[in-house]
Amino acid sequence: MPKRFLIAGACLAAAACGSEPGVYDLPRQEVYDRLASNPLDALKFRRACGILIHLLPSARNGDEIDWRVTHNGHTKVQFSIRLEELSPEQTRVSVSVDSKDADGSEAYDGDYFTPYPAFQQPLRPAIEEAIAATLEGREFDPSRAPHSRDDDVCDVQRATLQQNGVPIDVVMQRRGDGSSDSLSEDGWGSGTTD
Amino acid sequence: MLRRIVFPNGDRRPLAIVLFALLGGCGAAGEVGEVYPGAAGEIRQTLLRIDELPPIFGSNAVDTHVINNGDGTITWTASQRFKPVLRFIARTEPVDAAHTRVTVQITGPTSAEDDEVARRLAENPTVRDLYLAAMVEQVDATLEGRDFDMTAISGQLALATAANMGETVDRLDRAAAEYQRRDAENVAKAYEQEANGGWD
């Protein structure tokens, strides 16, 4: 068999098997540079729940990057990634949702309840897909991070923003059902995360 | 319960939006009569409280205007983007002092013989029958003081869906793309508004 066919076959086999999730054929520094100041807009525009959020990245130690997700200056949720150099040309990216529910489970894990959610659930696969899309130089692919079909509160909030161009908290404020401040206290908590 | 279509991006739209599009918004037609306890005047007062079309239309997709015509009939006019697209007319006829027959009819937004929607209703009888069955159920539920029962129209729903599946799929694709474009535009505008000082 010609050598080029063997090489092509090997490549196809490798592609079919796929690489380990979260492992990228990029140097650690390259991964760091692409993500360290990246606001991950795909999450904001594809997975937010109809409130205006901002993802604020902050890098530390050269191998960890945190994102604080805020709404009206209040922190809604925090997540981070850790980079591990597997070889000079290969890096593992581990995602961690740092905000926790009252019982210690991960926020937005699919069963997380908050009156005014920021993201469709589960959040972690969406973060992983946003990072993968960034590192692979492609568009965010929703099918790689399916979200719950029973996330009604999020769906309603999201539809309000998408159909009217006005976020849900502003709509509620106009209706006199609440204000951004009161929602922040009641729904998003007075601490650093919801 | 509101029936919705889930698009690939997870967004949900009422099924009727798509079927509505098949009509272009569809000929007049179909009448179903039912006798209810109550004087005709009382029945009309109760019917006037119906200010939304059946849930298959979805409250966001269609605006509804209801009027008492003063001749024993009540008209609900459905509009999309301020444009009348469909009418339901309920006729109330006293059977005796304590009973009234209610007959519901579906028709185009105008009474003109060349009304485009009326023509399409005639050309799409399964969709026409679905809408009419849904409105009849809405009237029945209201007069019986109960919630809308989706199972009452399941047969018509299945027939309409099956009969229009090919075109529905094409229109779904086009509608999904348009919705996604508009949604993204609205979200971007909201962030722009926030950056410019927010809302009063």
Side-chain angles (χ1 to χ4, degrees):
Chain A
M1 182 181 292
K3 186 178 179 182
R4 63 177 181 276
F5 290 160
L6 282 174
I7 294 172
C11 289
L12 284 172
C17 294
S19 56
E20 185 184 342
V23 174
Y24 300 91
D25 293 334
L26 292 168
R28 186 193 58 75
Q29 188 63 44
E30 176 67 20
V31 172
Y32 183 82
D33 291 345
R34 291 192 194 184
L35 295 172
S37 59
N38 194 313
L40 299 179
D41 279 347
L43 282 179
K44 181 166 83 174
F45 289 105
R46 306 300 292 270
R47 289 298 165 93
C49 288
I51 60 172
L52 302 186
I53 58 171
H54 300 277
L55 285 84
L56 309 175
S58 62
R60 54 186 163 103
N61 305 329
D63 60 5
E64 288 185 3
I65 304 168
D66 302 323
W67 280 267
R68 192 162 63 90
V69 182
T70 66
H71 167 76
N72 284 349
H74 297 265
T75 300
K76 293 287 295 173
V77 61
Q78 296 183 95
F79 61 89
S80 59
I81 61 170
R82 183 176 182 80
L83 311 184
E84 181 185 355
E85 186 174 280
L86 300 180
S87 74
E89 296 301 323
Q90 203 171 48
T91 305
R92 173 181 284 126
V93 179
S94 305
V95 172
S96 168
V97 176
D98 303 318
S99 300
K100 305 297 179 191
D101 203 347
D103 64 2
S105 58
E106 186 177 288
Y108 294 92
D109 62 354
D111 295 320
Y112 183 67
F113 175 78
T114 187
Y116 300 96
F119 288 111
Q120 292 174 318
Q121 301 191 54
L123 175 59
R124 179 201 284 267
I127 297 170
E128 291 168 342
E129 169 55 15
I131 286 168
T134 300
L135 297 179
E136 292 169 4
R138 58 175 174 78
E139 292 290 308
F140 180 92
D141 181 356
S143 68
R144 299 191 189 201
H147 62 86
S148 169
R149 298 297 186 197
D150 298 322
D151 209 350
D152 291 342
V153 174
C154 181
D155 288 345
V156 170
Q157 293 184 181
R158 190 174 163 82
T160 299
L161 177 62
Q162 291 177 332
Q163 292 175 17
N164 306 312
V166 181
I168 185 73
D169 48 321
V170 174
V171 172
M172 292 182 70
Q173 195 172 6
R174 287 176 174 172
R175 290 178 181 168
D177 293 339
S179 68
S180 297
D181 288 342
S182 65
L183 291 178
S184 296
E185 289 168 7
D186 296 339
W188 296 313
S190 55
T192 55
T193 67
D194 59 351
Chain B
M1 182 177 69
L2 195 64
R3 290 282 170 91
R4 288 177 180 276
I5 294 167
V6 179
F7 285 110
N9 70 346
D11 291 341
R12 301 169 186 190
R13 308 285 176 187
L15 170 62
I17 289 177
V18 175
L19 295 179
F20 227 51
L22 283 176
L23 299 177
C26 281
E31 293 192 356
V32 178
E34 185 79 33
V35 175
Y36 296 94
E42 298 169 1
I43 294 291
R44 285 194 291 275
Q45 287 304 310
T46 303
L47 292 178
L48 284 169
R49 293 205 295 267
I50 301 177
D51 57 3
E52 283 188 354
L53 291 184
I56 63 164
F57 289 94
S59 58
N60 291 327
V62 181
D63 292 321
T64 311
H65 179 63
V66 56
I67 60 168
N68 185 343
N69 299 307
D71 60 357
T73 64
I74 290 168
T75 299
W76 292 272
T77 303
S79 301
Q80 280 184 316
R81 300 178 189 273
F82 307 107
K83 180 183 175 186
V85 291
L86 199 63
R87 287 182 300 163
F88 290 101
I89 301 171
R91 178 174 300 283
T92 58
E93 300 169 287
V95 174
D96 55 37
H99 293 85
T100 302
R101 179 183 303 279
V102 178
T103 308
V104 182
Q105 183 184 18
I106 182 172
T107 186
T110 74
S111 298
E113 285 188 5
D114 61 348
D115 185 280
E116 177 65 11
V117 175
R119 183 184 66 78
R120 293 190 187 187
L121 277 173
E123 291 175 353
N124 294 272
T126 55
V127 175
R128 177 200 64 200
D129 292 349
L130 170 63
Y131 286 175
L132 181 60
M135 193 62 191
V136 167
E137 167 58 18
Q138 181 85 318
V139 165
D140 198 54
T142 301
L143 294 176
E144 292 180 356
R146 58 175 174 77
D147 289 335
F148 186 94
D149 181 4
M150 190 62 82
T151 60
I153 63 167
S154 58
Q156 289 87 350
L157 183 60
L159 285 171
T161 303
N164 298 285
M165 187 57 75
E167 192 168 358
T168 297
V169 169
D170 288 344
R171 286 180 181 271
L172 267 175
D173 289 343
R174 290 199 294 273
E178 172 57 20
Y179 280 129
Q180 286 176 7
R181 186 200 62 74
R182 189 201 63 189
D183 291 351
E185 191 176 283
N186 282 338
V187 172
K189 279 182 184 172
Y191 276 102
E192 193 178 321
Q193 176 90 15
E194 183 192 46
N196 291 328
W199 291 261
D200 293 330

